[in-house]
Amino acid sequence: MNSSLLTPSSSSSSPHHLQSPATFDHDDFLQNFFSSAPWPSSALDDDAPPPTSDSSLAGFHHHDVDSRNQITMIPLSHHNPNDAVDVNAIYSGFSAGSLPFHFPQGSGGGVMKQSHTQTQSQATASTTTGGTAATPQTKPKVRARRGQATDPHSIAERLRRERIAERMKSLQELVPNGNKTDKASMLDEIIDYVKFLQLQVKVLSMSRLGGAASVSSQISEDAGGSNENTSGENQTTAKMTEHQVAKLMEEDMGSAMQYLQGKGLCLMPISLATTISTATCPSRNPLISAVKEAGVPLSPNAATTPVVNVKGASVVTVKDASSVSKP
Amino acid sequence: MASADKPINTDVPEKDVFALHFLQSLSNLRRQNTFNSPEKTNDRVKKIKKAAYVSMARAAGGTNRLWSRALLRRAAKENNKVVRLPRRKKRVTCLRRRRSNRRDPVEEEEAERLRNLVPGGGGMETSKLMEETAHYIKCLSMQVKVMQCLVDGLAPK
């Protein structure tokens, strides 16, 4: 049993340790520990209650193996690098067999680490059971989990990672479609959302002027990344796009689609386009100008997704152009 | 070493504050003579957009937030105005921590992109950056709501 104390990392293969509940009295054990160990008071957590009773232990039993591993490790406060030496000495004394009781893994009810919810079990050579009392789980303080846990860099790393995870969680609630568990994709979502919001501000600031032509030119500039055009040039760029698309369509529909997507545009049937434009901006009379063949109204929409109907080709700009509907 | 975090505060003022600031900036813009001449719509657009951002920054927290400070400073530079922002002691401690904390290259590239988007993101640590991003997102959405309401209200029936 003592060997399991020494090498908790290997105890992952022995989950049966859980079944033997501690029969000893936590309080006594920890009292002794405290009196013997030259434990600086700062090693204790701020509001450390006296060693928790079986309730914590019972709760502790339900944790997975990884968190159990951490129990037996020394929960040194990270401000005290010197404690490691003392604790190691004490622990070696323990391991000599002086433990009078069966010391299950879960005995660390008094020594358990609060933020075990985010544990990454790190293999440690020597683990000592610290005598610091268990702190309530709600307190997010980090206890060092290694024997040589006094390495400030790893602690800082862990702190930093936890902090970032915390912020990520709060960001997840803000961003729509924030149910991605992957950190990278979550960050992508966040970045896209910020871009989207900034684009919205831009569109809204434009729409107030009622400058229809300038609106579409600005939007196409964003999608295509070209230089800013004055309102006069907008007609030509739209025409060029149309010609290009028509040319591509003759060869291959797919390449035409890709070209459109690259510009942030998509194809949709004219009837649908008219429906959308009349539905979303029924009051935009001054902006509706008589347009070419198709008679599609040119009406920049200042709704959440900027939609611009370029005349004639019924090409619609969508925010990310992910939806392409063929006529 | 750093101790436990204080609870992060990402409160944002109500819509009225944003609306007030934005309308004030708009009325200031109207008073400018060069504004109402309709030739160069693009200039007007840019001015309105800048006014929107600046008013948002002022409404959201003035100089209490890193991103708003950076935004205001940037705007002031464009106008060739000198902005005197109160120095905050927090800056020093931020720098001190940077030594050992810039790791984890997987997310650093994403953080780079975020830094380019959020004003003032260049000088921030990743955790601080995310905090600022959260507040920035809230303020942006509030500003968008305000502007949307204005546009809807002013749209011709």
Side-chain angles (χ1 to χ4, degrees), chain A residues 157 159-160 163-164 167-168 171 174 183 187-188 193 198 200 205-206 208-209 218 229 283 302, chain B residues 2 5 8 42 44-45 48 53 97 101 103 107 110 113 117 127 130-131 134 136 144 148 154 156:
Chain A
E157 267 301 301
L159 259 182
R160 175 177 169 266
R163 196 174 282 146
I164 290 181
R167 312 277 161 101
M168 283 280 278
L171 270 174
L174 278 182
K183 197 160 62 161
L187 275 171
D188 279 337
Y193 190 57
Q198 287 178 337
Q200 261 192 295
S205 70
M206 286 191 281
R208 306 204 66 251
L209 301 179
Q218 295 280 345
N229 305 319
S283 55
Chain B
D5 295 331
I8 312 161
N42 280 340
R44 285 175 72 185
V45 166
I48 288 186
Y53 275 109
R97 273 213 254 136
N101 280 342
R103 303 228 191 120
E107 60 177 37
E110 311 265 344
R113 288 160 63 189
L117 279 179
S127 59
M130 308 195 68
E131 187 183 330
Y136 186 57
V144 164
Q148 183 73 58
L154 290 176

Side-chain angles (χ1 to χ4, degrees), chain A residues 248-277:
Chain A
L248 281 173
M249 269 201 252
E250 282 161 21
E251 314 164 0
D252 172 29
M253 208 51 198
S255 60
M257 289 305 177
Q258 280 182 0
Y259 175 74
L260 279 177
Q261 270 192 351
K263 289 212 161 250
L265 306 171
C266 76
L267 275 183
M268 71 160 50
I270 294 182
S271 51
L272 184 57
T274 40
T275 315
I276 289 181
S277 63

Side-chain angles (χ1 to χ4, degrees), chain A residues 83-161:
Chain A
D83 286 343
V85 181
D86 299 328
V87 171
N88 279 331
I90 294 166
Y91 175 64
S92 47
F94 270 121
S95 66
S98 58
L99 289 173
F101 37 73
H102 172 68
F103 196 175
Q105 299 279 26
S107 74
V111 302
M112 80 181 173
K113 178 181 172 307
Q114 292 72 352
S115 46
H116 53 257
T117 48
Q118 297 171 353
T119 56
Q120 312 119 16
S121 71
Q122 299 153 11
T124 64
S126 67
T127 64
T128 50
T129 59
T132 57
T135 58
Q137 293 203 3
T138 51
K139 200 127 199 278
K141 268 214 174 159
V142 175
R143 295 293 196 181
R145 277 167 283 136
R146 307 159 145 216
Q148 307 114 324
T150 55
D151 180 19
H153 288 302
S154 59
I155 296 176
E157 267 301 301
R158 198 178 312 129
L159 259 182
R160 175 177 169 266
R161 241 177 272 138

Side-chain angles (χ1 to χ4, degrees), chain A residues 154-207:
Chain A
S154 59
I155 296 176
E157 267 301 301
R158 198 178 312 129
L159 259 182
R160 175 177 169 266
R161 241 177 272 138
E162 285 171 3
R163 196 174 282 146
I164 290 181
E166 201 182 315
R167 312 277 161 101
M168 283 280 278
K169 235 185 287 177
S170 60
L171 270 174
Q172 249 183 342
E173 300 157 16
L174 278 182
V175 174
N177 195 19
N179 49 4
K180 308 268 192 313
T181 48
D182 184 21
K183 197 160 62 161
S185 57
M186 193 58 223
L187 275 171
D188 279 337
E189 281 292 326
I190 293 172
I191 289 173
D192 283 342
Y193 190 57
V194 171
K195 275 196 217 159
F196 167 66
L197 283 176
Q198 287 178 337
L199 180 63
Q200 261 192 295
V201 172
K202 185 171 200 175
V203 167
L204 279 172
S205 70
M206 286 191 281
S207 68

